[in-house]
């Protein structure tokens, strides 16, 4: 996986990319689309959970995400901004839970 990572970023401790995913009752979708990527190196995956009532947060943690659980569903844009503020990489991508990262 590190072959596609810029050399400077691959050698640093900080991730070269932060991926932000906003969820709401998305546990099964995360398992289907993200399970193969649980061990991504040099990528920080942040899941912002919009007050799910299923086990989305637990599934995301099991898949390796850093999870931020919101008590209220304040909308997609609000949750993306929460994820953006939590990201630590220079490059930040926003991916829906039903997208397979590549």
């Amino acid at each position: 996986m590190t072959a596609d990572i810029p050399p400077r970023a691959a050698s640093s401790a900080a991730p070269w990319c932060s991926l932000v995913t906003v969820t709401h009752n998305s546990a099964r979708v995360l398992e289907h689309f993200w399970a193969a990527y649980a061990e991504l190196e040099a990528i920080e995956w942040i899941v912002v959970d919009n007050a799910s009532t299923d086990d989305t947060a637990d599934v995301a943690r099991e898949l390796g995400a850093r999870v931020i659980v919101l008590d209220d569903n304040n909308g997609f844009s609000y949750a993306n901004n929460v994820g953006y503020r939590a990201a630590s990489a220079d490059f930040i991508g926003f991916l829906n839970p039903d997208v397979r990262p590549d």
Side-chain angles (χ1 to χ4, degrees), residues 13-71:
W16 76 274
C17 173
S18 294
L19 299 178
V20 176
T21 301
V22 173
T23 59
H24 179 73
N25 294 334
S26 304
R28 300 310 143 244
V29 175
L30 288 177
E31 287 177 337
H32 179 74
F33 285 94
W34 290 82
Y37 300 94
E39 301 300 322
L40 290 175
E41 294 180 18
I43 294 178
E44 171 185 47
W45 182 29
I46 301 168
V47 169
V48 181
D49 184 62
N50 251 338
S52 290
T53 57
D54 68 358
D55 58 342
T56 296
D58 292 333
V59 168
R61 281 187 199 95
E62 289 171 10
L63 293 172
R66 185 170 126 213
V67 178
I68 300 168
V69 176
L70 302 179
D71 293 331

